[in-house]
Amino acid sequence: MIYVGIDVAKDKHDCCILGPDAEELFPVFTIRNNREGYDELFRRIETASKDLSQIKVGLEATGYYSYNILGSLLDRGYHTFVINPLHTNLYRKGQRLRKTKTDKVDARSIAEMLVTDKTLRPYTDTSYPSEELKSLTRYRFDLIQRRAKLKTSITRLVNIVFPKLEGLVPTLHINTV
């Protein structure tokens, strides 16, 4: 089995490829977040193993930064695992006594998680709608917070300009007001 850990960032990704005994097949390397970078990653993975069923790829869920590489991995047919960054952080802290936190260390930790954590489940196409729903839910929550701030601001301004209006109407936030 080949284990690939990818620490996702905006412009670059740090990658670690481990063999069946968790030995590094390549030193941790960095790729650009573009097609050429992905091709380099795929080339290195394929030199380790051509059998897709023997390859596990893990990356942190970093929102839209990971969408492109995730799509490329799924299109190629790799078993891909999207891992919560809090989970990888706790795993890394549990494995090392020193407080070492670099992208290269994170890439190795993700690959090691694939080796040891049997509870991880692969990302599937059915996961995509839930990602979209999560994004929409966050956007809705943001809009609700903005609306609440605007209502508070309007109430404050009305109380300054026309302090008795609030006692004359049921609420300041109706169309007639």
Side-chain angles (χ1 to χ4, degrees):
M1 189 66 77
I2 304 299
Y3 306 96
V4 182
I6 303 172
D7 184 63
V8 177
K10 179 181 176 187
D11 297 321
K12 66 172 184 71
H13 307 308
D14 289 293
C15 308
C16 178
I17 301 177
L18 302 179
D21 297 324
E23 76 280 2
E24 267 189 19
L25 299 180
F26 298 97
V28 178
F29 59 97
T30 302
I31 62 168
R32 301 286 306 152
N33 187 12
N34 58 24
R35 178 167 295 299
E36 293 80 25
Y38 301 164
D39 289 342
E40 178 187 343
L41 172 64
F42 298 145
R43 233 183 348 271
R44 290 191 188 205
I45 292 172
E46 289 165 8
T47 59
S49 174
K50 300 268 187 224
D51 185 7
L52 292 180
S53 67
Q54 294 300 308
I55 300 170
K56 287 184 176 182
V57 182
L59 52 107
E60 286 184 332
T62 55
Y64 62 91
Y65 289 154
S66 60
Y67 288 167
N68 290 338
I69 193 162
L70 176 61
S72 295
L73 290 164
L74 293 174
D75 288 346
R76 289 274 183 130
Y78 290 108
H79 296 288
T80 307
F81 299 79
V82 178
I83 305 167
N84 186 324
L86 295 174
H87 193 171
T88 58
N89 186 32
L90 289 172
Y91 180 85
R92 180 181 41 78
K93 285 180 179 178
Q95 297 299 312
R96 292 167 181 78
L97 293 175
R98 290 187 177 164
K99 293 184 179 183
T100 308
K101 163 88 172 88
T102 66
D103 294 341
K104 293 184 185 304
V105 169
D106 283 351
R108 178 154 179 99
S109 294
I110 293 167
E112 289 172 352
M113 282 181 73
L114 294 172
V115 174
T116 59
D117 195 343
K118 303 302 179 201
T119 62
L120 294 175
R121 294 179 13 176
Y123 188 88
T124 62
D125 289 337
T126 59
S127 302
Y128 179 75
S130 61
E131 292 293 322
E132 288 296 310
L133 284 173
K134 189 188 302 182
S135 177
L136 286 171
T137 302
R138 288 178 179 156
Y139 180 65
R140 178 183 176 274
F141 182 72
D142 183 52
L143 289 176
I144 289 170
Q145 284 186 321
R146 280 196 223 165
R147 182 185 67 186
K149 286 180 182 178
L150 286 171
K151 281 184 173 183
T152 303
S153 181
I154 288 170
T155 302
R156 184 181 62 79
L157 291 172
V158 167
N159 283 331
I160 291 170
V161 176
F162 190 19
K164 295 194 181 208
L165 180 63
E166 203 168 9
L168 300 173
V169 293
T171 179
L172 293 177
H173 308 292
I174 56 176
N175 290 340
T176 54
V177 173

